[in-house]
């Protein structure tokens, strides 16, 4: 028969594993905002295709879509639809430049446009530009989804950077397996939550 001490140890171990399965993975978060640099309520913002620094095809486009969706929930901002952003930027780009945005492995979002120039082309007040530093699975004792995003909000009128954010998260739990997209959604949510104080509240 199992002794009381052994049963107690087993119960503690099971509880610990359960908590590990329910808890979030490793999170890194850094945000900075320029003092007094709030965007006026009603400002238009466009999310540019994120620069893809990973081996995952189209990670930059995926990240921009997720971030853009989160941005729609920020009161006081008018967000330009991502499809319109891409078509407008493509239409205003010479053929040679358009061809240079694809790398050898066919990633169409590898080269980011100049943020201020893109904002002028789009006719918006500010642009949110960024990069994807991690998007995939880490291999170790077990596979963990990992996502890393970096972003900055640029005012088009003068090119000032009003806000920057660097967010990353790796996996969670032994019993609750995440997908990369689930982790990316949480990372984008934290990122846009940190942006809200930069936008002036509508009257």
């Amino acid at each position: 028969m199992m002794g009381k001490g052994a049963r107690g140890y087993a119960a503690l171990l099971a509880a610990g594993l359960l908590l590990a399965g329910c808890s979030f993975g490793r999170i890194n978060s850094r945000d900075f905002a320029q003092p007094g640099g709030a965007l006026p309520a009603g400002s238009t913002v466009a999310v540019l295709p994120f620069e893809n620094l990973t081996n995952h095809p189209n990670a930059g486009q995926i990240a921009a879509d997720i971030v853009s969706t989160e941005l729609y929930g920020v009161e006081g901002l008018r967000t330009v639809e991502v499809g319109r952003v891409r078509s407008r930027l493509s239409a205003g780009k010479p053929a040679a430049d358009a061809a240079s945005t694809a790398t050898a492995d066919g990633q169409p979002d590898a080269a980011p446009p100049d943020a201020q120039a893109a904002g002028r082309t789009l006719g918006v007040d500010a642009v949110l530009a960024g990069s994807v530093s991690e998007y995939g699975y880490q291999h170790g004792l077990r596979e963990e989804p990992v996502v890393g995003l970096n972003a900055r909000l640029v005012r088009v009128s003068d090119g000032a950077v009003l806000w920057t954010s660097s967010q990353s998260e790796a996996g969670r739990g032994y019993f609750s397996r995440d997908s990369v997209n689930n982790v990316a959604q949480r990372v984008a949510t934290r990122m846009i939550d940190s942006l809200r104080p930069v936008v002036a509240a509508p009257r």
Side-chain angles (χ1 to χ4, degrees):
M1 292 180 62
M2 183 182 291
K4 290 183 178 180
R7 284 198 298 270
Y9 177 78
L12 286 174
L13 179 60
L17 289 175
L18 182 59
L19 287 174
C22 297
S23 62
F24 286 92
R26 298 181 302 279
I27 294 174
N28 291 306
S29 178
R30 292 179 66 82
D31 308 289
F32 301 95
Q34 184 186 89
L39 278 177
S43 296
T44 53
V45 177
V47 178
L48 303 182
F50 276 35
E51 182 179 7
N52 187 4
L53 305 177
T54 77
N55 293 323
H56 188 291
N58 299 320
Q61 181 174 320
I62 295 169
D65 286 346
I66 295 174
V67 169
S68 183
T69 299
E70 288 294 317
L71 200 60
Y72 277 108
V74 178
E75 190 177 9
L77 286 184
R78 293 183 294 157
T79 305
V80 181
E81 197 272 324
V82 291
R84 183 182 175 193
V85 170
R86 291 181 189 128
S87 63
R88 289 281 300 276
L89 291 178
S90 296
K93 184 180 298 184
D97 290 344
S100 70
T101 61
T103 61
D105 58 0
Q107 297 181 44
D109 53 1
D114 175 80
Q116 189 178 17
R120 287 172 177 162
T121 298
L122 295 166
V124 295
D125 299 306
V127 294
L128 196 153
S131 63
V132 187
S133 55
E134 294 181 289
Y135 196 94
Y137 289 90
Q138 287 184 337
H139 300 284
L141 296 177
R142 60 192 177 93
E143 285 191 340
E144 291 181 337
V146 59
V147 174
L149 302 180
N150 308 286
R152 64 193 183 280
L153 185 69
V154 180
R155 188 166 55 205
V156 174
S157 61
D158 58 1
V161 177
L162 305 181
W163 161 92
T164 62
S165 178
S166 179
Q167 304 279 345
S168 66
E169 183 176 332
R172 67 172 182 176
Y174 285 88
F175 302 116
S176 177
R177 296 302 299 274
D178 269 331
S179 70
V180 176
N181 281 348
N182 285 343
V183 176
Q185 184 66 62
R186 293 199 298 269
V187 169
T189 298
R190 288 198 308 274
M191 176 172 279
I192 298 306
D193 281 346
S194 77
L195 173 65
R196 294 177 191 277
V198 181
V199 182
R203 295 181 179 180

